[in-house]
Amino acid sequence: MTKYVIKRVLLMLLTLFVIFTICFMLIRILPRQLPTDKNLQAVITARWDALGYGEPLLVQYGIYLKNIITKWDFGTSWYIQVREPAWDVLKNRLLPTVLVNFYSFLLSIPIGIALGIYAAVKKNKWQDQFISTLVMIFVSVPSYVYAFLIQYIFYFKAGLLPLTVYSLADAGGSWFSGKMFYSMLAPILALSFSQVAGLCRFTRAELTETLTSDYMLLARSKGLTRTQATTRHALKNAMVPILPMIIATFISILAGSMIIEQIFSIPGVGRLYVTSIQLLDYDVFMIDTLFYTLVGLLAGIVVDISYGFIDPRIRMGSTK
């Protein structure tokens, strides 16, 4: 396992470097834009000259990497938050994104697994068919469609939820206040529907296969009831592939929140990413790219390694 983890980490770093390099080259070949403020133009031009923006792309990239390694300097935002370090811009947007995704994660996991277990136990009955039909619908519809439906139903029709997430001032100055959580309910629901459906489908498939296995028949023949056999044996074995998927679910929610943050005006990392592309804020775009790429690559490693911790019989990378 140790050798496997080291190998995966090295491959992750290589992949991260390749993606980071490609994104740097692509964003730097786009035309540079200067603000209308003459004084700010002079400051930006001087900064760009110091970073070698007039030099070949490889030279620019070398300077950029050198600043990151030696000074932890990921550049400066000149359009989103003028003259603010790109690292600080990203850091200030992390909490809203993490909170919305975490709340959605907490809502999706128990509901999705519970529905999957219920559908598996009621296999081929009307309950299973009804849940399976809903799952197919919810999996097929993207999260931004749910966002518009939630806004229409709960804001325009029922008036139960706000149209967008409250600002810090409106919510009492804290991201953890009850008022802020209330305003986050709409994006939380929008992110949860497809995740609940995906977990339900996966749980049903795994548990259905487990319930028909030989050791389940043996357990029943020893006198265990269906409920006892399911809770003591089937669920335990079905959780081996389900638990790593829970980690992947959190990552997929995080990726899908880019559009959701735009729709509900959440000042998070996803919205920052879209804005940095629109405004060609180079350094903010690069650090946002680094964030999403690193999260995705780390998630892949964690998912693979988790199999070995959940079931000691599994050893990733073993030749035996």
Side-chain angles (χ1 to χ4, degrees):
M1 283 290 288
T2 302
K3 291 181 180 179
Y4 175 76
V5 172
I6 294 173
K7 180 180 178 181
R8 285 298 306 270
V9 170
L10 292 176
L11 288 174
M12 180 201 74
L13 293 175
L14 177 61
T15 304
L16 178 65
F17 177 77
V18 172
I19 295 174
F20 197 64
T21 303
I22 293 173
C23 289
F24 181 90
M25 298 300 175
L26 291 177
I27 194 68
R28 287 295 179 96
I29 64 176
L30 295 176
R32 298 194 296 270
Q33 297 178 351
L34 289 170
T36 56
D37 188 321
K38 297 296 183 181
N39 294 327
L40 189 56
Q41 281 185 15
V43 174
I44 294 176
T45 302
R47 173 65 173 168
W48 283 353
D49 290 341
L51 293 175
Y53 273 42
E55 302 292 334
L57 286 177
L58 289 178
V59 176
Q60 296 182 38
Y61 190 46
I63 296 173
Y64 185 71
L65 290 180
K66 180 182 176 182
N67 288 336
I68 292 175
I69 296 171
T70 60
K71 305 175 183 178
W72 196 250
D73 180 9
F74 288 88
T76 306
S77 172
W78 296 106
Y79 301 100
I80 298 174
Q81 289 182 234
V82 180
R83 300 190 184 186
E84 284 291 321
W87 169 256
D88 291 342
V89 175
L90 176 71
K91 186 173 61 177
N92 294 336
R93 304 293 185 98
L94 274 176
L95 186 56
T97 294
V98 171
L99 281 180
V100 171
N101 285 276
F102 183 69
Y103 291 148
S104 177
F105 179 73
L106 291 182
L107 178 66
S108 303
I109 299 306
I111 296 177
I113 292 179
L115 287 175
I117 293 173
Y118 184 72
V121 173
K122 299 292 184 180
K123 181 182 177 183
N124 296 329
K125 296 182 179 179
W126 70 267
Q127 297 96 327
D128 178 32
Q129 294 173 355
F130 178 72
I131 292 175
S132 297
T133 302
L134 290 180
V135 164
M136 289 184 62
I137 296 172
F138 288 143
V139 167
S140 304
V141 178
S143 58
Y144 62 83
V145 175
Y146 296 125
F148 293 131
L149 288 174
I150 290 170
Q151 285 181 331
Y152 178 75
I153 295 172
F154 291 97
Y155 173 75
F156 290 105
K157 289 297 183 181
L160 296 175
L161 296 175
L163 182 63
T164 58
V165 171
Y166 292 150
S167 65
L168 269 178
D170 293 334
S174 174
W175 287 106
F176 300 96
S177 66
K179 195 172 183 181
M180 180 62 79
F181 176 76
Y182 164 72
S183 71
M184 287 182 175
L185 284 176
I188 290 170
L189 290 174
L191 287 169
S192 298
F193 280 114
S194 59
Q195 305 306 323
V196 168
L199 275 171
C200 176
R201 181 176 62 177
F202 191 79
T203 303
R204 180 197 177 278
E206 290 297 327
L207 189 55
T208 299
E209 182 179 350
T210 304
L211 288 173
T212 57
S213 60
D214 293 338
Y215 69 84
M216 283 296 293
L217 295 176
L218 178 61
R220 293 295 303 277
S221 67
K222 288 183 176 180
L224 293 180
T225 64
R226 182 179 177 85
T227 302
Q228 290 174 332
T230 300
T231 54
R232 294 182 187 179
H233 300 286
L235 282 178
K236 182 179 178 180
N237 286 277
M239 283 296 122
V240 173
I242 291 174
L243 289 179
M245 188 188 176
I246 293 176
I247 302 172
T249 297
F250 180 75
I251 304 304
S252 62
I253 294 176
L254 188 64
S257 66
M258 284 189 192
I259 302 175
I260 296 300
E261 288 182 11
Q262 287 287 106
I263 295 174
F264 292 100
S265 300
I266 302 171
V269 178
R271 189 180 180 191
L272 178 68
Y273 202 23
V274 176
T275 305
S276 68
I277 297 171
Q278 293 173 338
L279 299 179
L280 293 181
D281 206 331
Y282 296 158
D283 296 331
V284 176
F285 168 81
M286 287 304 301
I287 196 170
D288 238 327
T289 299
L290 178 65
F291 168 76
Y292 275 108
T293 305
L294 189 59
V295 167
L297 292 173
L298 283 174
I301 294 178
V302 173
V303 168
D304 287 345
I305 296 175
S306 64
Y307 283 104
F309 287 105
I310 294 168
D311 189 344
R313 295 171 298 178
I314 300 174
R315 285 291 177 264
M316 305 302 296
S318 176
T319 56
K320 295 181 181 181

